[in-house]
Amino acid sequence: MTDDQELQGQVAGLLLAAGGGRRLGGRPKALLPHRDRPLVEHAVGVLRAAGCGRIHVVLGAAAQEVRARAALDDCVLVDNPDWAEGMGSSLRAGLASLAGTGARAALVGLVDQPGIGPVAVARVLAAYADETSLVSAAYDGVRGHPVLFGAAHWAGIARAATGDRGARAYLKAHADAIRLVECGDVAEPYDIDTEADLSHLE
């Protein structure tokens, strides 16, 4: 087994794609069109190209429509019935879905950040060491996505993940343990949150 294959087996991609697009008039982010396909397909492709062999996708808003319209056959699809509570619930659902899979870390990406491509994700993945790893992309030194959580941190992150904060509180409490990987030279960490942001989609 090569080092890359071993890494693929130990680190699972976890894509949070449950958002309802409240500020986009209720258009689910996973289904926004980008390069002639739903945005969730693009995001999965980025994780795959970066080296994630196993990918879990957390769905929420319009989950049935996403399943019907997006080609996600090679992913594990995780339904989050509590998606409206915010990103924290999706992160909890995603981490819970990885329990018992043998994954030793989760590389977490967001569906609405198409400016972050495989090069940046691969840099974060390459910084994985073991199940105690905490790694985050940084943009001009400021922490952003994607982030990598070793399995030793999953329970603590799940306890702290509430509302739209995701893992923010946990990462703030463990700031000294985070390895920052600068990605500002290869990616742009904008979010697709408002109508104006739709100009970033192709």
Side-chain angles (χ1 to χ4, degrees):
M1 181 181 290
T2 67
D3 288 345
D4 284 348
Q5 288 173 323
E6 186 174 354
L7 191 61
Q8 287 184 4
Q10 294 186 17
V11 182
L14 178 55
L15 180 65
L16 305 186
R22 179 172 45 84
R23 285 182 284 173
L24 290 167
R27 297 164 65 188
K29 292 185 177 183
L31 289 172
L32 293 174
H34 183 56
R35 298 177 183 173
D36 299 321
R37 297 301 305 160
L39 190 54
V40 66
E41 271 188 43
H42 170 80
V44 165
V46 168
L47 289 173
R48 181 108 34 232
C52 293
R54 173 194 298 144
I55 299 174
H56 288 215
V57 181
V58 181
L59 302 178
Q64 289 302 108
E65 188 178 355
V66 175
R67 286 173 179 268
R69 289 177 50 190
L72 303 171
D73 299 343
D74 53 351
C75 300
V76 175
L77 303 184
V78 181
D79 284 314
N80 173 21
D82 301 319
W83 64 269
E85 294 178 6
M87 188 196 305
S89 66
S90 290
L91 183 56
R92 292 196 305 271
L95 292 176
S97 75
L98 290 172
T101 64
R104 299 185 67 202
L107 195 156
V108 182
L110 306 181
V111 74
D112 66 344
Q113 292 191 320
I116 300 174
V119 175
V121 178
R123 283 186 186 178
V124 174
L125 181 62
Y128 163 76
D130 56 36
E131 61 188 18
T132 67
S133 294
L134 270 182
V135 185
S136 174
Y139 300 89
D140 295 326
V142 178
R143 181 171 53 77
H145 282 89
V147 289
L148 184 147
F149 303 135
H153 300 280
W154 293 355
I157 289 169
R159 285 194 297 272
T162 58
D164 260 329
R165 292 179 59 81
R168 200 176 310 160
Y170 187 89
L171 291 174
K172 185 176 181 180
H174 296 80
D176 292 345
I178 301 171
R179 177 176 176 183
L180 294 179
V181 178
E182 182 57 46
C183 295
D185 58 322
V186 295
E188 296 181 77
Y190 54 79
D191 300 317
I192 307 296
D193 280 335
T194 67
E195 292 286 341
D197 297 330
L198 295 175
S199 64
H200 289 297
L201 299 177
E202 301 171 11

